[in-house]
Protein backbone atom coordinates (compact mmCIF):
# COMPACT_ATOMS: atom_id res chain seq x y z
CA UNK A 1 0.00 0.00 0.00
CA UNK A 2 2.85 2.37 0.78
CA UNK A 3 3.70 4.28 -2.36
CA UNK A 4 6.17 6.88 -3.37
CA UNK A 5 5.24 8.89 -6.44
CA UNK A 6 6.86 7.75 -9.69
CA UNK A 7 8.06 11.31 -10.40
CA UNK A 8 11.82 11.08 -9.70
CA UNK A 9 11.95 14.77 -8.78
CA UNK A 10 9.50 14.18 -5.97
CA UNK A 11 11.72 11.45 -4.53
CA UNK A 12 15.06 12.97 -5.23
CA UNK A 13 16.84 11.19 -2.41
CA UNK A 14 18.30 7.89 -3.49
CA UNK A 15 17.63 5.09 -0.99
CA UNK A 16 19.52 5.80 2.22
CA UNK A 17 20.92 9.07 0.86
CA UNK A 18 19.05 11.12 3.41
CA UNK A 19 17.77 14.64 3.13
CA UNK A 20 19.26 18.05 3.77
CA UNK A 21 17.77 21.22 5.15
CA UNK A 22 16.07 23.04 2.27
CA UNK A 23 15.15 19.87 0.37
CA UNK A 24 11.52 19.24 -0.56
CA UNK A 25 10.10 16.52 1.68
CA UNK A 26 9.52 13.46 -0.55
CA UNK A 27 5.83 12.86 -1.03
CA UNK A 28 4.29 9.49 -0.20
CA UNK A 29 0.94 7.90 0.45
CA UNK A 30 0.57 5.15 3.02
CA UNK A 31 -1.74 3.42 5.46
CA UNK A 32 -1.81 4.95 8.90
CA UNK A 33 -3.75 4.73 12.13
CA UNK A 34 -5.75 7.73 10.87
CA UNK A 35 -6.59 6.08 7.52
CA UNK A 36 -4.81 6.44 4.19
CA UNK A 37 -2.75 9.59 4.14
CA UNK A 38 -0.58 11.50 1.70
CA UNK A 39 2.19 13.75 2.92
CA UNK A 40 1.38 16.49 0.40
CA UNK A 41 -2.14 16.76 1.87
CA UNK A 42 -0.47 18.45 4.87
CA UNK A 43 0.72 21.41 2.76
CA UNK A 44 -0.32 24.72 4.24
CA UNK A 45 0.52 23.63 7.79
CA UNK A 46 3.72 22.79 9.59
CA UNK A 47 4.36 19.09 9.97
CA UNK A 48 6.62 17.18 12.33
CA UNK A 49 7.31 13.80 10.73
CA UNK A 50 9.19 11.44 13.02
CA UNK A 51 10.30 7.83 12.99
CA UNK A 52 10.63 5.47 15.92
CA UNK A 53 12.45 2.13 16.08
CA UNK A 54 9.56 -0.13 17.07
CA UNK A 55 6.15 -0.32 18.71
CA UNK A 56 5.92 -1.82 22.22
CA UNK A 57 9.36 -0.61 23.28
CA UNK A 58 10.01 1.39 26.44
CA UNK A 59 11.53 4.65 25.19
CA UNK A 60 9.14 4.84 22.23
CA UNK A 61 6.18 4.40 24.56
CA UNK A 62 7.33 7.33 26.70
CA UNK A 63 7.76 9.47 23.58
CA UNK A 64 4.26 8.71 22.31
CA UNK A 65 2.68 9.38 25.69
CA UNK A 66 4.54 12.71 25.90
CA UNK A 67 3.66 13.72 22.34
CA UNK A 68 0.01 12.74 22.70
CA UNK A 69 -0.18 14.87 25.85
CA UNK A 70 1.47 17.77 23.97
CA UNK A 71 -0.72 17.38 20.85
CA UNK A 72 -2.63 20.56 21.74
CA UNK A 73 0.62 22.54 21.94
CA UNK A 74 1.52 21.47 18.39
CA UNK A 75 -2.02 22.22 17.17
CA UNK A 76 -1.76 25.75 18.68
CA UNK A 77 1.24 26.27 16.41
CA UNK A 78 -0.72 24.97 13.39
CA UNK A 79 1.56 21.96 13.29
CA UNK A 80 0.46 18.39 12.57
CA UNK A 81 2.30 15.33 13.92
CA UNK A 82 2.96 12.18 11.90
CA UNK A 83 4.85 9.13 13.16
CA UNK A 84 6.33 6.25 11.19
CA UNK A 85 7.85 2.84 11.83
CA UNK A 86 8.29 -0.51 10.09
CA UNK A 87 5.60 -2.09 12.27
CA UNK A 88 2.26 -3.10 10.75
CA UNK A 89 -0.90 -1.08 11.07
CA UNK A 90 -2.35 -3.68 13.44
CA UNK A 91 0.72 -3.52 15.63
CA UNK A 92 0.27 0.27 15.78
CA UNK A 93 -3.40 -0.20 16.72
CA UNK A 94 -2.59 -2.70 19.48
CA UNK A 95 0.14 -0.43 20.89
CA UNK A 96 -2.14 2.63 20.88
CA UNK A 97 -4.84 0.63 22.65
CA UNK A 98 -2.29 -0.42 25.30
CA UNK A 99 -1.11 3.20 25.68
CA UNK A 100 -4.69 4.42 26.06
CA UNK A 101 -5.50 1.79 28.69
CA UNK A 102 -2.27 2.13 30.66
CA UNK A 103 -1.58 5.88 30.42
CA UNK A 104 -5.05 7.28 29.86
CA UNK A 105 -4.07 9.20 26.74
CA UNK A 106 -5.24 8.65 23.15
CA UNK A 107 -2.63 8.98 20.41
CA UNK A 108 -4.72 10.55 17.65
CA UNK A 109 -1.99 11.72 15.29
CA UNK A 110 -1.34 9.27 12.42
CA UNK A 111 1.24 6.52 12.73
CA UNK A 112 2.28 5.31 9.27
CA UNK A 113 3.19 1.68 8.56
CA UNK A 114 6.35 1.35 6.48
CA UNK A 115 6.97 -2.42 6.38
CA UNK A 116 9.23 -2.29 3.34
CA UNK A 117 11.15 0.75 4.65
CA UNK A 118 10.54 2.53 1.35
CA UNK A 119 9.67 5.78 3.14
CA UNK A 120 12.34 5.34 5.81
CA UNK A 121 15.00 4.92 3.14
CA UNK A 122 13.78 7.89 1.07
CA UNK A 123 14.10 10.04 4.19
CA UNK A 124 17.39 8.56 5.35
CA UNK A 125 15.73 7.25 8.51
CA UNK A 126 17.57 3.95 8.08
CA UNK A 127 21.32 3.51 8.14
CA UNK A 128 22.55 2.65 4.58
CA UNK A 129 24.11 -0.63 5.63
CA UNK A 130 20.97 -1.84 7.43
CA UNK A 131 18.78 -4.23 5.47
CA UNK A 132 16.20 -5.11 8.04
CA UNK A 133 16.58 -2.83 11.04
CA UNK A 134 13.97 -0.41 12.24
CA UNK A 135 14.16 3.31 11.74
CA UNK A 136 16.19 5.43 14.11
CA UNK A 137 14.63 8.39 15.95
CA UNK A 138 14.70 10.89 13.13
CA UNK A 139 12.55 14.03 13.26
CA UNK A 140 11.82 16.28 10.28
CA UNK A 141 10.35 19.75 10.68
CA UNK A 142 8.53 20.42 7.39
CA UNK A 143 7.20 23.90 6.63
CA UNK A 144 3.83 24.74 5.03
CA UNK A 145 5.46 24.71 1.57
CA UNK A 146 6.67 21.14 2.12
CA UNK A 147 10.34 22.03 2.63
CA UNK A 148 12.53 20.32 5.25
CA UNK A 149 13.58 23.12 7.62
CA UNK A 150 15.28 21.20 10.45
CA UNK A 151 15.97 17.62 11.41
CA UNK A 152 17.30 15.70 14.37
CA UNK A 153 18.52 12.15 14.76
CA UNK A 154 18.66 10.36 18.12
CA UNK A 155 19.70 6.78 18.85
CA UNK A 156 17.22 4.12 19.93
CA UNK A 157 18.27 4.37 23.58
CA UNK A 158 17.69 8.15 24.03
CA UNK A 159 14.21 9.62 23.85
CA UNK A 160 13.45 13.00 22.27
CA UNK A 161 12.45 16.09 24.23
CA UNK A 162 8.96 17.35 23.48
CA UNK A 163 9.79 20.86 24.84
CA UNK A 164 12.79 21.01 22.50
CA UNK A 165 10.63 19.95 19.54
CA UNK A 166 8.19 22.75 20.39
CA UNK A 167 11.04 25.23 20.88
CA UNK A 168 12.51 24.34 17.48
CA UNK A 169 9.11 24.87 15.90
CA UNK A 170 8.70 28.21 17.71
CA UNK A 171 12.15 29.33 16.55
CA UNK A 172 11.46 28.36 12.91
CA UNK A 173 8.15 30.21 12.97
CA UNK A 174 9.71 33.27 14.66
CA UNK A 175 12.58 33.61 12.18
CA UNK A 176 10.15 33.23 9.27
CA UNK A 177 7.87 35.93 10.66
CA UNK A 178 10.56 38.59 10.94
CA UNK A 179 13.45 37.59 8.70
CA UNK A 180 15.49 37.45 11.88
CA UNK A 181 17.74 34.93 13.63
CA UNK A 182 17.24 32.86 16.79
CA UNK A 183 20.30 32.81 19.07
CA UNK A 184 21.53 30.00 21.29
CA UNK A 185 19.03 28.85 23.89
CA UNK A 186 16.34 31.11 22.44
CA UNK A 187 12.88 30.71 23.92
CA UNK A 188 9.67 32.49 22.86
CA UNK A 189 9.73 35.99 24.37
CA UNK A 190 13.53 36.27 24.23
CA UNK A 191 15.20 38.74 21.90
CA UNK A 192 15.92 37.64 18.36
CA UNK A 193 18.90 38.79 16.30
CA UNK A 194 19.04 40.93 13.18
CA UNK A 195 20.40 39.55 9.94
CA UNK A 196 23.97 40.87 9.61
CA UNK A 197 24.56 43.60 7.06
CA UNK A 198 26.17 42.73 3.75
CA UNK A 199 27.26 46.36 3.13
CA UNK A 200 30.70 47.69 4.05
CA UNK A 201 29.19 51.13 4.70
CA UNK A 202 27.04 49.59 7.46
CA UNK A 203 30.13 47.93 8.92
CA UNK A 204 31.99 51.26 9.18
CA UNK A 205 28.89 53.20 10.32
CA UNK A 206 27.98 50.83 13.16
CA UNK A 207 28.56 52.42 16.61
CA UNK A 208 30.08 49.38 18.32
CA UNK A 209 32.65 46.92 17.04
CA UNK A 210 30.18 44.03 16.78
CA UNK A 211 26.93 45.92 16.08
CA UNK A 212 27.03 45.37 12.30
CA UNK A 213 26.82 41.60 12.66
CA UNK A 214 25.53 40.97 16.19
CA UNK A 215 22.52 43.11 17.07
CA UNK A 216 19.22 42.41 18.78
CA UNK A 217 15.96 42.50 16.86
CA UNK A 218 12.47 42.67 18.38
CA UNK A 219 11.32 40.14 20.95
CA UNK A 220 9.73 36.92 19.79
CA UNK A 221 6.18 36.40 20.97
CA UNK A 222 5.80 34.54 24.25
CA UNK A 223 3.66 31.41 24.07
C1 LIG B 1 12.98 1.71 23.05
O1 LIG B 1 12.14 2.45 22.52
O2 LIG B 1 13.04 1.59 24.26
C2 LIG B 1 13.96 0.98 22.20
C3 LIG B 1 13.69 0.72 20.87
C4 LIG B 1 14.60 0.01 20.11
C5 LIG B 1 15.79 -0.41 20.67
C6 LIG B 1 16.06 -0.13 22.00
C7 LIG B 1 15.15 0.58 22.77
Amino acid sequence: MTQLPSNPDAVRAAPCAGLRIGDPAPDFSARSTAGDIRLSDFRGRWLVLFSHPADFTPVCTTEFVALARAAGDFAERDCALMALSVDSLFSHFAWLRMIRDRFDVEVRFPIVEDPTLVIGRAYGMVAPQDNDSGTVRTTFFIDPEGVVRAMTCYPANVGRSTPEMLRTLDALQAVDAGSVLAPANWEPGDDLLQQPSALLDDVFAAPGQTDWFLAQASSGKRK
Side-chain angles (χ1 to χ4, degrees):
M1 169 61 202
T2 303
Q3 283 182 321
L4 289 160
S6 53
N7 173 3
D9 290 335
V11 189
R12 54 177 296 286
C16 307
L19 292 173
R20 293 170 189 265
I21 288 171
D23 282 347
D27 197 13
F28 61 82
S29 54
R31 289 207 306 181
S32 86
T33 53
D36 292 352
I37 55 173
R38 179 180 291 273
L39 187 103
S40 50
D41 289 343
F42 289 76
R43 292 279 158 78
R45 299 184 68 191
W46 285 82
L47 173 66
V48 172
L49 170 67
F50 62 100
S51 57
H52 65 283
D55 297 349
F56 293 101
T57 51
V59 177
C60 296
T61 301
T62 62
E63 284 188 331
F64 275 67
V65 170
L67 283 163
R69 289 188 174 141
D73 297 323
F74 286 91
E76 265 178 26
R77 291 155 172 84
D78 198 22
C79 179
L81 293 167
M82 187 191 297
L84 176 146
S85 82
V86 297
D87 302 281
S88 72
L89 183 62
F90 290 96
S91 168
H92 292 334
F93 283 149
W95 189 37
L96 297 192
R97 171 65 198 246
M98 184 280 294
I99 288 174
R100 201 278 310 266
D101 292 353
R102 168 67 179 79
F103 297 98
D104 197 26
V105 62
E106 293 188 358
V107 176
R108 288 290 181 171
F109 54 80
I111 308 180
V112 168
E113 67 168 1
D114 185 25
T116 60
L117 286 171
V118 63
I119 304 169
R121 290 192 193 285
Y123 276 80
M125 292 166 164
V126 188
Q129 67 277 13
D130 289 350
N131 291 322
D132 58 355
S133 87
T135 44
V136 291
R137 295 185 201 285
T138 317
T139 308
F140 292 91
F141 296 81
I142 300 171
D143 74 14
E145 279 73 51
V147 174
V148 174
R149 296 290 302 280
M151 51 192 146
T152 65
C153 191
Y154 284 46
N157 53 3
V158 177
R160 286 162 281 212
S161 160
T162 303
E164 175 56 14
M165 292 165 79
L166 288 166
R167 191 198 75 92
T168 302
L169 191 56
D170 284 334
L172 289 166
Q173 293 182 350
V175 298
D176 278 6
S179 190
V180 287
L181 310 170
N185 301 330
W186 181 86
E187 294 281 352
D190 292 349
D191 285 327
L192 292 154
L193 299 173
Q194 291 176 20
Q195 297 273 1
S197 175
L199 297 173
L200 185 60
D201 283 347
D202 289 343
V203 177
F204 288 148
Q209 206 173 32
T210 58
D211 294 340
W212 64 275
F213 76 93
L214 181 54
Q216 284 179 355
S218 56
S219 287
K221 73 180 175 198
R222 181 158 312 269
K223 293 279 177 192

